[in-house]
Amino acid sequence: SLQAGWEPLPGAEREVAGIVDDLPGLDIDIRTGIAATESAFVEHAGGRDLIHFATHGEFPENDAVDLHRIVLAAEGNHDGLLNAEEIRRTDLSAAQLVVLSICDGALVRFGPGDEPLGLLPAFFAAGVTNIVAPLWEIGDVAATEWMCAFYRDLLDLGPARAVQRACLERIRAGAQVRDL
C-alpha cells in the first residue's frame, strides 16, 4: 500500500508473481503492499542474493546525496521512504543483483567533486555487484512485461545477457525503446 499521492501500480504484484515463477527453488521472501516497509528492507535484505523493487521513486535535484529514494509502505516510526543514505548504511554485500523496477531508477546526479549520487551509487556503496534499472519513466504494464522477459532468462544467461534478450523480445513484440 503506497503512501497518499502515489498512483497504484497493479502490474507490480503481477510482476512479482511472474518473477517467483521464473526462479524456482530459490529462497524468496516477498514483501508487497503494507508489508513492503523500510524496516522489512533493513531487517531482511542483508544476505539476499537478489533484491527486487517494483514501486515508485523520488529523485529531487536539491539533495541527491540523501533524498533520492524508493517509496515503500510507511509504518511506525518509518516514513516509508528508503533514502540513498539508508541504503548506503545497509550491508548488501551478498547481493549479486538489485533490480529497480522504478521509473528513473538509474538516474544519477553528480556532486561538486563529480562524484556520482543517487540510488545506483548508494547500492554499489552498500556492496551490491550488479544493478538493473531504467533511465527513464516506464509504464506499469511495460515494466511488468519487460521484467517478466528479463527474469525468464536470468538464471540461464546472467544479468547482462538477460537484459539484452528482454529488450530484443520486447522490440520484436512491437514495444518502443522508451518502453524498455
Side-chain angles (χ1 to χ4, degrees):
S1 167
L2 286 176
Q3 301 177 17
W6 291 98
E7 182 179 324
L9 297 169
E13 289 199 31
R14 285 194 323 275
E15 182 177 311
V16 171
I19 292 166
V20 169
D21 291 344
D22 289 326
L23 302 175
L26 296 183
D27 177 23
I28 297 175
D29 179 14
I30 298 171
R31 306 285 170 150
T32 60
I34 61 171
T37 63
E38 284 178 82
S39 57
F41 170 79
V42 171
E43 291 171 27
H44 302 286
R48 295 282 173 190
D49 293 329
L50 183 137
I51 301 167
H52 180 96
F53 292 93
T55 186
H56 291 286
E58 286 187 325
F59 307 96
E61 289 185 41
N62 62 334
D63 190 352
V65 173
D66 297 323
L67 296 183
H68 278 207
R69 52 194 169 202
I70 297 170
V71 179
L72 300 172
E75 67 159 342
N77 295 337
H78 296 283
D79 61 4
L81 300 172
L82 181 61
N83 296 326
E85 176 59 30
E86 293 167 317
I87 294 165
R88 280 192 296 277
R89 290 191 314 247
T90 305
D91 179 7
L92 300 176
S93 58
Q96 296 297 306
L97 176 64
V98 166
V99 177
L100 303 177
S101 185
I102 297 171
C103 291
D104 302 314
L107 180 68
V108 175
R109 303 212 192 285
F110 292 91
D114 287 334
E115 68 277 11
L117 305 171
L119 295 177
L120 294 186
F123 278 108
F124 284 131
V128 172
T129 306
N130 297 288
I131 302 171
V132 171
L135 285 167
W136 48 75
E137 285 187 31
I138 184 167
D140 188 38
V141 171
T144 299
E145 290 170 352
W146 191 92
M147 288 295 170
C148 288
F150 168 73
Y151 277 102
R152 239 185 331 270
D153 290 322
L154 178 62
L155 293 180
D156 292 332
L157 302 178
R161 291 291 310 250
V163 165
Q164 179 187 33
R165 290 275 296 267
C167 289
L168 289 172
E169 178 183 315
R170 297 303 310 132
I171 289 170
R172 289 182 183 132
Q176 300 295 312
V177 171
R178 70 175 174 266
D179 294 328
L180 303 179

